[in-house]
Amino acid sequence: MTISSYVRDGLTFDVIDTGPADGDPVVLLHGFPERATCWREVSPILHDAGLRTIAPDQRGYSPGARPRTRFGYGARDLIEDVVALIDEVGRPVHLAGHDWGSAVGWGVAAKRPDLVRSWTAMSVPHPVPFARSMKGPQRKKSTYMALFNIPLLPELVAGPNGRMERMMRGSGWKDADVQRFREEIVEYGALPGGLGWYRALMLAPKVGRVSVPTTMLWSNRDVAIGRTAFEGIEDFVTGPFEFIELDGVSHWIPTKAPEAAASAILGTIAKAA
């Protein structure tokens, strides 16, 4: 049965569930500041391979799932939101995530390997090597996180041609991406909830090793995540692992390199088979 929404802990999450109904399910987790629509060019490729794709608008993005304080955006809740979705699917899934969706996916794959058949991470590594890299060059790349933690200021500079849009253009966005941000995030009311993930960083739990087949996909034109963030990442995956570097692609892999994103997911699924 197609899932259009699901409920966890009194919150209602919207879902885009498409592709062959009898296909193996692939759950796709978006990052910031995007919604489930960021997978719109990846999903059809997976459908052609016989797979069903299930992409939720996560906590803070779905209108029915927007806690008002940062304490509603702790990583434990973000992980359990995905677990609840997989329970709704009714069977183990292949999991993929980009940006913040990748950060959450690492936690899901480590905590509930019984529910995850394969894991494809994009842009953001396992949290331990990422934390270690903050002692070096990555610290400078992550300074934007400090801005996002200032109460109200990011919301105030998110207007047309404001500082946030200029930051995103500098990261690889084009006019169409900016317009989608205005419509799907700012006008939709999802920006405060999306920023809540950053403001709850201190609530992040420890994430263990991942035992399922895993692929890490990173692009070398990523202005937010540098190569040093992946040093030693293989130590945190005990199952089959592959690191793939995309040349000349910006941070926004699902929208700027959908074929590569789909290929990575399909490759990880093949390892699980």
Side-chain angles (χ1 to χ4, degrees):
M1 183 174 67
T2 300
I3 302 170
S4 59
S5 65
Y6 72 101
V7 177
R8 177 186 172 256
D9 198 23
L11 302 178
T12 301
F13 298 84
D14 299 328
V15 178
I16 299 175
D17 182 352
T18 49
D22 59 348
D24 281 348
V26 183
V27 169
L28 304 170
L29 305 177
H30 67 81
F32 175 90
E34 296 183 299
R35 288 169 44 203
T37 53
C38 74
W39 301 103
R40 65 194 179 280
E41 295 183 60
V42 177
S43 291
I45 301 173
L46 301 181
H47 299 162
D48 289 343
L51 299 166
R52 171 189 176 191
T53 59
I54 302 164
D57 275 351
Q58 297 183 83
R59 181 174 290 241
Y61 297 85
S62 290
R66 293 176 180 172
R68 295 188 176 183
T69 72
R70 62 181 179 176
F71 299 104
Y73 296 93
R76 286 186 177 86
D77 276 321
L78 301 175
I79 290 169
E80 290 303 321
D81 292 342
V82 178
V83 170
L85 173 57
I86 299 174
D87 287 341
E88 191 78 14
V89 174
R91 56 188 287 198
V93 303
H94 298 287
L95 186 64
H98 173 251
D99 188 77
W100 262 111
S102 180
V104 172
W106 281 107
V108 176
K111 183 177 181 180
R112 295 300 304 270
D114 57 312
L115 297 180
V116 178
R117 297 177 61 191
S118 72
W119 164 229
T120 306
M122 302 182 194
S123 301
V124 173
H126 187 283
V128 174
F130 182 71
R132 290 175 178 170
S133 72
M134 293 294 282
K135 298 177 182 179
Q138 182 58 44
R139 185 183 184 91
K140 184 177 181 180
K141 287 181 174 289
S142 297
T143 53
Y144 69 92
M145 292 184 181
L147 169 66
F148 290 171
N149 269 276
I150 300 173
L152 300 178
L153 180 61
E155 290 91 330
L156 292 175
V157 298
N161 301 312
R163 182 175 178 183
M164 186 170 289
E165 288 190 0
R166 293 197 299 272
M167 287 174 58
M168 296 304 173
R169 286 184 185 277
S171 73
W173 273 11
K174 304 301 182 185
D175 288 346
D177 304 307
V178 171
Q179 186 60 34
R180 189 160 56 90
F181 168 71
R182 292 175 184 174
E183 296 173 356
E184 295 193 2
I185 300 298
V186 179
E187 294 173 10
Y188 195 60
L191 183 59
L195 290 167
W197 294 42
Y198 290 94
R199 292 164 178 167
L201 273 171
M202 73 296 209
L203 303 175
K206 181 179 179 180
V207 175
R209 289 178 170 83
V210 173
S211 59
V212 303
T214 299
T215 298
M216 180 72 248
L217 183 62
W218 174 70
S219 41
N220 60 20
R221 293 287 298 277
D222 192 322
V223 300
I225 310 291
R227 184 66 177 81
T228 59
F230 303 92
E231 292 177 358
I233 189 174
E234 63 277 0
D235 296 336
F236 295 90
V237 181
T238 61
F241 176 71
E242 182 178 10
F243 181 90
I244 300 174
E245 178 177 333
L246 298 180
D247 185 37
V249 178
S250 71
H251 174 78
W252 313 99
I253 295 175
T255 55
K256 300 305 178 185
E259 296 85 0
S263 177
I265 295 171
L266 292 171
T268 320
I269 290 174
K271 293 183 180 68

